[in-house]
């Protein structure tokens, strides 16, 4: 179940809730009891590493294959 981050406009506290995606935008109450809250935009960082030998061998073997990688794995991006 995903975690969502919220901020209370009344007291300024930031808190997380685990809830189904179908309830991500449903109203929620902060831990101090205030109901004036907003859902914050969460970001995810993904890091990869590659060895210099694989990068140089790929460059020397010809052009890169088309349609791969990116944020969606190449399945739906053009």
């Amino acid at each position: 179940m995903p975690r969502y981050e919220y901020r209370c406009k009344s007291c300024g506290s930031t808190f997380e809730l685990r809830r189904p995606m179908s309830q991500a935008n449903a109203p929620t109450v902060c831990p101090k009891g205030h109901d004036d809250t907003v859902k914050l935009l969460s970001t995810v960082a993904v890091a990869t590493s590659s060895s210099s030998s694989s990068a140089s061998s790929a460059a020397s073997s010809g052009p890169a294959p088309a349609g791969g990688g990116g944020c969606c794995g190449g399945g739906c991006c053009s």
Side-chain angles (χ1 to χ4, degrees), residues 11-40:
C11 66
S13 66
T14 301
F15 58 97
E16 290 183 350
L17 286 179
R18 293 185 88 151
R19 52 176 29 178
M21 291 175 75
S22 62
Q23 296 178 6
N25 294 321
T28 188
V29 177
C30 87
K32 295 181 181 177
H34 305 118
D35 61 357
D36 191 14
T37 60
V38 293
K39 188 175 110 184
L40 300 177

Side-chain angles (χ1 to χ4, degrees), residues 42-48:
S42 299
T43 57
V44 176
V46 178
T48 61

